[in-house]
Structures are given as structure tokens and as C-alpha cells.
Amino acid sequence: VSNKAYEIALVGSLNPGMTFNRFIPEPFKLWVGPHICDHLFLLSLEYDVDSCSLACSKNKRCKYFIESLGKQGKSCMLYSDCQLMTRAHTNFIATAYAMFKPVGSQRLCHIADPDKCWANTRRRAYLSNKKHPYGKCMWGNLIEQCDFAKLLGDTLIEHCAFCTYMAAETQQDK
């Protein structure tokens, strides 16, 4: 288990009603680059928002948000869903986040070492179109799209997340 993963699982578990490595994480950074989510799911576009994360948390339908800085200042795009990473402009850099909003008692668990897991098994599984033996990654489709865009040579993508969280109810306690 990486130290970072242990710390995130421990801190997240300190909130009321949570147990170790079964918690609701902070918004998760998916990518940094010239991409947004598909406009079909755009809820709002706001400028000069103090906290995009707070705006998303207050909107019941918001599950993704994108922060960017452009000619008009800081912008915040709220989305109800995000199925496709969509290329915007080459002079546009955005940071995309997923916000987990549980239904009932749903919780997430943090993968022990996301970097090693991605390098040793997850990337190979998606590139060879094989099902991963340990279950489905939260936001896995977007994580794979970002990685694939980088593999194809999109040099403007500064960051792609690795598979980091899974639905806790799909994992056995160890």
C-alpha cells in the first residue's frame, strides 16, 4: 500500500459514518488539458466562481465539473454526466473533476497503489480489451480515454488520472 493511498483512506474514513477505506472522497482530478465533457450534459457555465467544487456540491444533478482560466477569467462548467472527453481549443487548458455523490450507503475504496496497478495490470487490460479481474474502476472510461489520447500523441494533455477508486461494496475486506 502506498503511503499516499493509506493517508487518503485514513483521512476519508475519519468523517462520521465512514469506516477505514470505505468513504466518500474529495473531488477527483481526472485530467488537465484542452478537453471538456460533452455539451449534452452541461448544466451551467459560470464565470468568476469562488469554488467550482462548492457550486457542483450544491447542485443535486452535478457529477462533474471543469475549471479553466481564459480571456474572460476563471470559468466553471458543471455537468450531470461525462461520457466523452471532448477536445476544445488548443489554447484552452481545463482541469476536469469527478464528484462522487452516493446513493444510500454507497462508498468508495482507494486502490492500494494506483500507479503500480495502472502500470502493471489496468492499462494492459484496457489496451488488450480484457476484463480486469478485480472489478471496475470508478470513472474508468474517462481515465482510459485520457490515457489513449496521450498514447496517440496529444501533447497538450498535462495530466491523466490513474484508476484510483472502486465501489467499496464490490471489494472484499482484507
Side-chain angles (χ1 to χ4, degrees):
V1 176
S2 73
N3 289 336
K4 182 179 177 183
Y6 182 80
E7 182 179 312
I8 291 170
L10 180 63
V11 170
S13 304
L14 295 176
N15 293 318
M18 305 296 148
T19 58
F20 184 73
N21 206 18
R22 293 181 183 279
F23 61 101
I24 300 167
E26 295 293 316
F28 180 65
K29 186 190 303 185
L30 292 167
W31 70 77
V32 177
H35 296 78
I36 57 175
C37 295
D38 31 347
H39 283 296
L40 177 66
F41 302 109
L42 182 66
L43 296 170
S44 70
L45 170 59
E46 302 170 20
Y47 293 96
D48 295 321
V49 176
D50 289 335
S51 171
C52 206
S53 175
L54 184 60
C56 186
S57 69
K58 289 181 176 182
N59 184 319
K60 290 181 183 180
R61 293 180 54 216
C62 182
K63 294 181 182 174
Y64 298 87
F65 63 92
I66 294 180
E67 297 175 328
S68 66
L69 189 59
K71 294 176 186 173
Q72 297 164 322
K74 183 179 175 183
S75 68
C76 174
M77 293 172 263
L78 306 181
Y79 293 89
S80 61
D81 200 353
C82 189
Q83 297 175 4
L84 293 173
M85 255 183 85
T86 305
R87 183 69 180 244
H89 304 285
T90 55
N91 60 350
F92 173 84
I93 297 296
T95 304
Y97 294 88
M99 181 171 277
F100 179 67
K101 292 188 175 178
V103 176
S105 62
Q106 283 181 317
R107 300 292 180 261
L108 297 183
C109 60
H110 196 288
I111 291 175
D113 192 330
D115 296 351
K116 282 185 182 176
C117 182
W118 185 256
N120 294 332
T121 60
R122 291 260 173 205
R123 178 183 260 168
R124 288 183 184 140
Y126 98 79
L127 288 173
S128 61
N129 202 26
K130 294 183 179 170
K131 188 176 178 181
H132 192 274
Y134 299 111
K136 190 175 176 184
C137 174
M138 287 298 297
W139 312 297
N141 185 37
L142 294 168
I143 290 167
E144 291 170 4
Q145 286 178 50
C146 188
D147 185 67
F148 197 66
K150 280 187 80 166
L151 288 173
L152 290 176
D154 191 333
T155 58
L156 295 176
I157 296 174
E158 298 172 15
H159 166 80
C160 289
F162 296 146
C163 179
T164 303
Y165 294 102
M166 299 178 73
E169 63 269 8
T170 67
Q171 303 303 305
Q172 295 178 354
D173 286 328
K174 294 190 179 197

